Amino acid sequence: MVQLISADQYGVIGDPISHSQSPSIHKLFAQQLGHSIDYKAYHVSENQLESFIYEFRKKGGRGLNITLPHKTTALKYVDIINPRAKEADAINTLIIDEEKIIGDNTDGIGLINDLEINFNQSLKNKRILILGAGGATLGILSPLLKREPKNILVANRTASKAKIVTSKFKSNFSLDACGINELDPEQIFDIIINATSIGITKQSINFPSFVITENTVCYDLSYSYEPTLFMRWSIENKAKLAIQGWGMLIEQAAASYCLWRDKKPNTSSILKQLNINASSQVLRRL
Ligand code: NAP
């Protein structure tokens, strides 16, 4: 008799969630590795978070990705927090079995792999500005600090939140916080990372353009099939290079997949398989 074994269940939860490309990426990983998995995007609001996670586990779910705005709140529902998630005080991955739920964070390694490996950008001794102080910033700060930058400034619309976020990290390198409206026209940055959610909520840019110089590399954590608003704004203001977050998305997804199934997918062909045009992923100043 043929025994039917149902595919292992995975998913991504967030609010909003319709923009998520994670189901397509994980499907490609599974195809590549010959695995049978079922990965879906679920719209889960803050008040549904706890019941959703426990129901998902009850139904045999093996892993979840956590996206905005739940990366910090979801910490309440894990039994074990892996070290890099503890450092970040935020999670983007749950590894689930009958006995326990483990929380981890692969956002940082996703960004670092994209910048360093895919775009050959060294972070050592660089002056870095991060715009935004939400769950994504928590995930990327510690891995960025470990790259020994010259300094990192976190500027947020709500200045107090930037201060709370940076106070969680201990570093030998200079780490400061301010409001976006308190940025200093004299301060120069080599790398500017947009970690706000304006790309998703389609809000207009309200960052001061003086933060960009001709040598600045701008990286938008948001991603889209077209160049993002932040990328266009960066190049209009004479940045050298503007990159959007597809590579980070794929790299963080590969790291989560490896945590769940102990096999690291090859990420090099995924952009092409998702039909992402290289000319919209990266803009260069002419
Ligand atoms: P979040 O926790 O909801 O934080 C949102 C941040 O955006 C806050 O700092 C908020 O500032 C700021 N913000 C919202 N509207 C703004 C506006 N009009 N002007 C200035 N700042 C504004 O979100 P998150 O989880 O950190 O995610 C942030 C972005 O990163 C999202 O677009 C997400 O898709 C992207 N992301 C991408 C990847 C990837 O793999 N490529 C991974 C993680 C995240 P206040 O504190 O003042 O509200």
Side-chain angles (χ1 to χ4, degrees):
M1 200 173 93
V2 179
Q3 200 188 356
L4 286 176
I5 300 170
S6 64
D8 289 337
Q9 306 290 313
Y10 300 92
V12 56
I13 57 177
D15 179 15
I17 198 63
S18 56
H19 67 282
S20 178
Q21 298 295 326
S22 295
S24 314
I25 294 171
H26 284 278
K27 197 170 155 198
L28 290 170
F29 290 162
Q31 274 169 11
Q32 184 194 104
L33 293 164
H35 294 170
S36 170
I37 72 160
D38 184 15
Y39 186 113
K40 290 194 181 75
Y42 299 95
H43 181 259
V44 176
S45 61
E46 179 108 38
N47 59 8
Q48 298 168 317
L49 189 59
E50 180 174 15
S51 57
F52 182 90
I53 292 172
Y54 293 131
E55 266 309 298
F56 188 76
R57 170 163 71 173
K58 225 153 95 189
K59 289 183 186 152
R62 300 278 305 278
L64 285 172
N65 284 127
I66 313 282
T67 189
L68 88 173
H70 304 316
K71 289 184 178 180
T72 304
T73 325
L75 278 167
K76 285 194 260 180
Y77 311 118
V78 305
D79 304 300
I80 298 170
I81 306 174
N82 281 350
R84 59 189 170 185
K86 203 174 260 174
E87 275 176 352
D89 205 19
I91 46 180
N92 78 337
T93 307
L94 298 183
I95 306 128
I96 302 171
D97 66 25
E98 295 78 26
E99 276 118 51
K100 61 191 176 315
I101 299 179
I102 302 173
D104 206 328
N105 198 318
T106 63
D107 278 341
I109 193 65
L111 174 66
I112 301 281
N113 282 351
D114 197 33
L115 277 168
E116 287 187 346
I117 301 171
N118 302 336
F119 287 97
N120 203 18
Q121 297 291 321
S122 158
L123 297 161
K124 194 175 165 86
N125 220 21
K126 293 287 160 62
R127 297 159 295 191
I128 300 176
L129 170 64
I130 301 177
L131 298 163
T137 296
L138 284 166
I140 64 177
L141 258 177
S142 180
L144 284 172
L145 286 165
K146 286 187 180 138
R147 279 358 209 213
E148 305 185 354
K150 187 164 191 182
N151 52 53
I152 298 184
L153 175 62
V154 176
N156 194 40
R157 178 175 59 180
T158 313
S160 56
K161 209 164 133 197
K163 288 181 179 120
I164 292 169
V165 162
T166 52
S167 69
K168 293 175 194 269
F169 297 86
K170 287 188 191 69
S171 163
N172 295 329
F173 302 93
S174 147
L175 174 61
D176 293 303
C178 69
I180 287 178
N181 57 5
E182 296 165 337
L183 280 160
D184 175 359
E186 302 295 313
Q187 201 166 353
I188 286 172
F189 301 101
D190 303 301
I191 297 175
I192 300 178
I193 297 170
N194 175 32
T196 71
S197 51
I198 58 163
I200 289 182
T201 50
K202 308 278 178 233
Q203 295 171 75
S204 53
I205 302 255
N206 54 3
F207 312 140
S209 56
F210 59 69
V211 290
I212 299 179
T213 70
E214 291 197 337
N215 291 318
T216 309
V217 171
C218 292
Y219 191 101
D220 193 353
L221 297 199
S222 293
Y223 48 87
S224 157
Y225 279 89
E226 299 296 320
T228 65
L229 201 60
F230 177 76
M231 290 169 74
R232 291 186 198 280
W233 173 83
S234 302
I235 294 297
E236 275 160 22
N237 287 292
K238 308 272 183 287
K240 183 166 75 173
L241 187 66
I243 305 164
Q244 60 169 305
W246 280 108
M248 170 178 175
L249 182 74
I250 294 166
E251 297 296 334
Q252 63 78 32
S256 295
Y257 194 98
C258 188
L259 287 169
W260 294 327
R261 302 191 66 89
D262 211 17
K263 286 267 180 306
K264 174 94 165 60
N266 181 337
T267 52
S268 60
S269 60
I270 302 294
L271 267 182
K272 211 164 166 197
Q273 288 176 283
L274 290 171
N275 291 324
I276 295 154
N277 188 336
S279 63
S280 66
Q281 197 212 355
V282 184
L283 295 180
R284 288 169 209 281
R285 191 185 61 233
L286 294 175

